[in-house]
């Protein structure tokens, strides 16, 4: 499995700016992402705490694809290009995108 992980930092402007970002993210951005070919699952979580310190992160979204080829095809799609344009509008400079690959050789199976 290959995951596109999006990390979103808090916008300036306090609670009103956060509410506006979340509204636009939910109403505008995620429907565009959902149309991406090869996308298997979207999972979003709010960041509620950073253990041992502070964080400016607000939201983390994982978009799962079968493999890197599926992700690359999805990234080239009209849906994902539209989502990218929308993201630059609603969260300029607030996102970091990471590509993750499963690493079963790093972590042993728990409970085995």
């Amino acid at each position: 499995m290959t995951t596109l992980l999006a990390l979103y930092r808090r916008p300036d402007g306090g609670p009103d700016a956060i509410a506006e970002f979340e509204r636009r993210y939910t109403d505008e951005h995620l429907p565009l992402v959902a149309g991406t070919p090869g996308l298997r699952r979207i999972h979003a979580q709010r960041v509620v705490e950073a253990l041992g310190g502070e964080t400016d992160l607000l939201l983390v979204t994982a978009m799962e694809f079968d493999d890197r080829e599926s992700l690359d095809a999805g990234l080239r799609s009209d849906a994902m290009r539209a989502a990218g344009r929308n993201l630059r509008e609603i969260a300029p400079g607030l996102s970091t995108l990471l590509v993750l690959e499963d690493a079963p050789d790093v972590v042993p199976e728990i409970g085995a």
Side-chain angles (χ1 to χ4, degrees), residues 16-59:
D16 290 342
I18 291 170
E20 178 68 6
F21 165 75
E22 288 188 354
R23 182 192 64 75
R24 293 189 70 190
Y25 186 76
T26 300
D27 295 347
E28 298 174 26
H29 186 69
L30 286 180
L32 295 170
V33 172
T36 302
L39 179 64
R40 296 287 178 214
R41 180 174 184 246
I42 300 173
H43 185 76
Q45 294 180 293
R46 282 189 183 89
V47 176
V48 296
E49 180 180 3
L51 299 179
E54 294 184 22
T55 183
D56 64 346
L57 292 176
L58 173 68
L59 189 68

Coordinates of all heavy atoms in Angstrom, one line a residue, residues 16-59:
D16 N -11.8 31.5 14.2 CA -12.6 31.8 13.0 C -11.9 31.3 11.7 O -12.5 30.7 10.8 CB -12.9 33.2 12.8 CG -13.9 33.7 13.9 OD1 -14.6 32.9 14.5 OD2 -13.9 35.0 14.1
A17 N -10.5 31.5 11.6 CA -9.8 31.0 10.5 C -9.7 29.5 10.4 O -9.8 28.9 9.3 CB -8.4 31.6 10.6
I18 N -9.6 28.8 11.6 CA -9.6 27.4 11.6 C -11.0 26.9 11.1 O -11.0 25.9 10.3 CB -9.3 26.9 13.0 CG1 -7.8 27.2 13.4 CG2 -9.6 25.4 13.2 CD1 -7.5 26.9 14.8
A19 N -12.1 27.4 11.6 CA -13.4 27.0 11.2 C -13.6 27.2 9.7 O -14.2 26.3 9.0 CB -14.5 27.8 12.0
E20 N -13.1 28.3 9.2 CA -13.2 28.5 7.7 C -12.4 27.5 6.9 O -12.9 27.0 5.9 CB -12.8 30.0 7.4 CG -12.8 30.3 5.9 CD -14.2 30.4 5.3 OE1 -15.2 30.2 6.1 OE2 -14.3 30.5 4.1
F21 N -11.2 27.3 7.4 CA -10.4 26.3 6.7 C -11.1 24.9 6.7 O -11.2 24.2 5.7 CB -9.0 26.1 7.3 CG -8.3 24.9 6.9 CD1 -7.7 24.8 5.6 CD2 -8.2 23.8 7.7 CE1 -7.1 23.6 5.2 CE2 -7.6 22.6 7.3 CZ -7.0 22.5 6.1
E22 N -11.5 24.5 7.9 CA -12.2 23.2 8.0 C -13.5 23.1 7.1 O -13.7 22.1 6.5 CB -12.5 22.8 9.4 CG -11.2 22.5 10.2 CD -11.5 21.9 11.6 OE1 -12.7 21.9 12.0 OE2 -10.5 21.5 12.2
R23 N -14.2 24.2 7.1 CA -15.4 24.2 6.3 C -15.1 24.0 4.8 O -15.6 23.2 4.1 CB -16.2 25.5 6.5 CG -17.5 25.5 5.6 CD -18.1 26.9 5.6 NE -17.3 27.9 4.9 CZ -17.2 28.0 3.6 NH1 -17.8 27.1 2.8 NH2 -16.4 29.0 3.1
R24 N -14.1 24.8 4.3 CA -13.7 24.7 2.9 C -13.0 23.4 2.6 O -13.2 22.9 1.5 CB -12.8 25.9 2.5 CG -13.6 27.2 2.6 CD -12.9 28.4 2.0 NE -12.7 28.2 0.6 CZ -12.0 29.0 -0.2 NH1 -11.2 30.0 0.4 NH2 -11.9 28.8 -1.5
Y25 N -12.3 22.9 3.5 CA -11.6 21.6 3.3 C -12.6 20.5 3.1 O -12.5 19.7 2.2 CB -10.7 21.3 4.5 CG -9.9 20.1 4.3 CD1 -8.7 20.1 3.5 CD2 -10.2 18.9 5.0 CE1 -8.0 18.9 3.4 CE2 -9.4 17.8 4.8 CZ -8.3 17.8 4.0 OH -7.6 16.7 3.9
T26 N -13.7 20.5 4.0 CA -14.7 19.5 3.9 C -15.6 19.7 2.7 O -15.9 18.7 2.0 CB -15.6 19.6 5.2 OG1 -14.7 19.3 6.3 CG2 -16.7 18.5 5.2
D27 N -16.1 20.9 2.5 CA -17.0 21.2 1.4 C -16.5 21.3 0.0 O -17.1 20.9 -1.0 CB -17.8 22.5 1.7 CG -18.6 22.5 2.9 OD1 -18.8 21.3 3.5 OD2 -19.0 23.5 3.4
E28 N -15.2 21.7 -0.1 CA -14.6 22.0 -1.4 C -13.5 21.0 -1.8 O -13.5 20.3 -2.8 CB -14.0 23.4 -1.5 CG -15.0 24.5 -1.4 CD -14.3 25.8 -1.3 OE1 -13.1 26.0 -1.8 OE2 -14.8 26.8 -0.7
H29 N -12.5 20.8 -0.9 CA -11.3 20.1 -1.2 C -11.6 18.6 -1.2 O -11.2 17.9 -2.2 CB -10.2 20.4 -0.2 CG -8.9 19.8 -0.6 ND1 -8.2 20.2 -1.7 CD2 -8.2 18.8 0.0 CE1 -7.1 19.5 -1.8 NE2 -7.1 18.6 -0.7
L30 N -12.1 18.0 -0.1 CA -12.3 16.6 -0.1 C -13.2 16.0 -1.2 O -12.8 14.9 -1.7 CB -12.8 16.1 1.3 CG -11.8 16.2 2.4 CD1 -12.3 15.8 3.7 CD2 -10.5 15.4 2.1
P31 N -14.2 16.7 -1.6 CA -15.0 16.1 -2.8 C -14.1 16.0 -4.0 O -14.3 15.1 -4.8 CB -16.2 17.1 -3.0 CG -16.4 17.7 -1.6 CD -15.0 17.8 -1.0
L32 N -13.2 17.0 -4.2 CA -12.3 16.9 -5.4 C -11.4 15.7 -5.3 O -11.2 15.0 -6.2 CB -11.5 18.2 -5.5 CG -12.4 19.5 -5.9 CD1 -11.5 20.7 -5.7 CD2 -13.0 19.4 -7.2
V33 N -10.8 15.5 -4.1 CA -9.9 14.4 -3.8 C -10.6 13.1 -4.0 O -10.1 12.2 -4.6 CB -9.3 14.5 -2.4 CG1 -8.5 13.3 -2.1 CG2 -8.4 15.8 -2.3
A34 N -11.8 13.0 -3.6 CA -12.6 11.8 -3.6 C -12.8 11.3 -5.0 O -13.0 10.1 -5.3 CB -14.0 11.9 -2.9
G35 N -12.7 12.1 -6.0 CA -12.8 11.7 -7.4 C -11.5 11.2 -8.0 O -11.5 10.9 -9.2
T36 N -10.5 11.1 -7.3 CA -9.2 10.6 -7.8 C -9.2 9.2 -8.1 O -9.5 8.3 -7.3 CB -8.1 10.9 -6.7 OG1 -8.1 12.3 -6.4 CG2 -6.7 10.5 -7.3
P37 N -8.9 8.8 -9.4 CA -8.8 7.4 -9.8 C -7.8 6.7 -8.9 O -6.7 7.2 -8.6 CB -8.4 7.4 -11.2 CG -8.5 8.8 -11.7 CD -8.5 9.7 -10.5
G38 N -8.1 5.4 -8.5 CA -7.2 4.6 -7.8 C -7.2 4.9 -6.3 O -6.6 4.1 -5.5
L39 N -7.9 5.9 -5.8 CA -7.9 6.2 -4.4 C -8.8 5.2 -3.7 O -10.0 4.9 -4.1 CB -8.5 7.6 -4.2 CG -8.7 8.1 -2.7 CD1 -7.3 8.2 -2.0 CD2 -9.4 9.4 -2.7
R40 N -8.3 4.5 -2.7 CA -9.0 3.5 -2.0 C -9.7 4.0 -0.7 O -10.8 3.5 -0.3 CB -8.1 2.3 -1.6 CG -7.5 1.6 -2.8 CD -8.6 0.8 -3.4 NE -8.0 0.1 -4.6 CZ -8.7 -0.1 -5.7 NH1 -9.9 0.3 -5.8 NH2 -8.1 -0.7 -6.7
R41 N -9.1 4.9 0.0 CA -9.6 5.4 1.3 C -9.0 6.7 1.6 O -7.9 7.0 1.3 CB -9.2 4.3 2.3 CG -9.7 4.6 3.7 CD -9.4 3.5 4.6 NE -9.9 3.7 6.0 CZ -9.2 3.9 7.0 NH1 -7.9 3.9 7.0 NH2 -9.7 4.1 8.2
I42 N -9.9 7.5 2.3 CA -9.4 8.8 2.8 C -9.7 8.7 4.3 O -10.8 8.4 4.7 CB -10.2 10.0 2.3 CG1 -10.0 10.1 0.8 CG2 -9.7 11.3 2.9 CD1 -10.8 11.2 0.1
H43 N -8.7 9.1 5.1 CA -8.9 9.1 6.6 C -8.3 10.4 7.1 O -7.1 10.6 7.0 CB -8.1 7.8 7.2 CG -8.3 7.7 8.6 ND1 -9.5 7.2 9.2 CD2 -7.5 8.0 9.7 CE1 -9.3 7.2 10.5 NE2 -8.2 7.6 10.8
A44 N -9.1 11.2 7.7 CA -8.7 12.5 8.3 C -8.8 12.4 9.8 O -9.7 11.9 10.4 CB -9.5 13.6 7.7
Q45 N -7.8 13.1 10.5 CA -7.8 13.2 11.9 C -7.3 14.5 12.3 O -6.4 15.1 11.7 CB -6.9 12.1 12.5 CG -7.4 10.7 12.3 CD -6.4 9.7 12.9 OE1 -5.3 9.5 12.5 NE2 -6.9 9.0 14.0
R46 N -8.0 15.1 13.4 CA -7.5 16.3 14.0 C -6.3 16.1 14.9 O -6.3 15.1 15.6 CB -8.6 17.0 14.8 CG -9.6 17.7 13.9 CD -10.6 18.5 14.8 NE -11.6 19.1 13.9 CZ -12.8 18.5 13.6 NH1 -13.0 17.3 14.1 NH2 -13.6 19.1 12.8
V47 N -5.4 16.9 14.9 CA -4.3 16.9 15.9 C -4.7 17.5 17.1 O -5.1 18.7 17.1 CB -3.0 17.5 15.3 CG1 -1.9 17.5 16.3 CG2 -2.6 16.9 14.0
V48 N -4.8 16.8 18.2 CA -5.3 17.3 19.5 C -4.2 17.6 20.5 O -4.4 18.4 21.4 CB -6.3 16.4 20.2 CG1 -7.6 16.3 19.3 CG2 -5.7 15.0 20.4
E49 N -3.0 17.1 20.3 CA -1.9 17.3 21.2 C -0.6 16.8 20.6 O -0.6 15.8 19.8 CB -2.2 16.5 22.5 CG -1.2 16.6 23.6 CD -1.6 15.8 24.8 OE1 -2.6 15.1 24.8 OE2 -0.8 15.9 25.8
A50 N 0.5 17.4 21.0 CA 1.8 16.9 20.7 C 2.4 16.5 22.1 O 2.6 17.4 22.9 CB 2.7 18.0 20.0
L51 N 2.8 15.3 22.3 CA 3.3 14.8 23.5 C 4.7 15.4 23.7 O 5.6 15.3 22.8 CB 3.4 13.3 23.6 CG 2.0 12.6 23.5 CD1 2.2 11.1 23.5 CD2 1.1 13.1 24.6
G52 N 4.9 16.1 24.8 CA 6.2 16.6 25.2 C 6.5 18.0 24.5 O 7.7 18.4 24.6
G53 N 5.6 18.6 23.9 CA 5.8 19.9 23.3 C 4.6 20.5 22.6 O 3.5 20.0 22.8
E54 N 4.9 21.5 21.8 CA 3.8 22.1 21.1 C 3.9 21.8 19.6 O 4.9 21.4 19.1 CB 3.9 23.7 21.3 CG 3.7 24.1 22.7 CD 3.7 25.6 22.8 OE1 3.5 26.3 21.8 OE2 4.0 26.1 23.9
T55 N 2.8 22.0 18.9 CA 2.7 21.8 17.5 C 1.8 22.8 16.8 O 0.9 23.3 17.5 CB 2.3 20.3 17.1 OG1 2.3 20.2 15.7 CG2 0.8 20.1 17.6
D56 N 2.1 23.1 15.6 CA 1.2 24.0 14.8 C 0.3 23.1 13.9 O -0.4 23.7 13.1 CB 2.0 25.0 14.1 CG 2.9 24.4 13.0 OD1 3.1 23.2 13.0 OD2 3.4 25.2 12.1
L57 N 0.4 21.8 14.0 CA -0.4 21.0 13.1 C -1.9 21.0 13.6 O -2.2 20.9 14.8 CB 0.1 19.5 13.1 CG 1.5 19.3 12.4 CD1 1.9 17.9 12.6 CD2 1.4 19.8 11.0
L58 N -2.7 21.0 12.6 CA -4.2 21.0 12.9 C -4.9 19.7 12.4 O -5.7 19.2 13.1 CB -4.8 22.2 12.1 CG -6.3 22.3 12.1 CD1 -6.9 22.6 13.5 CD2 -6.8 23.4 11.1
L59 N -4.5 19.2 11.3 CA -5.2 18.1 10.6 C -4.2 17.3 9.9 O -3.2 17.8 9.3 CB -6.2 18.7 9.6 CG -7.3 17.8 9.0 CD1 -8.2 17.3 10.1 CD2 -8.0 18.6 7.9

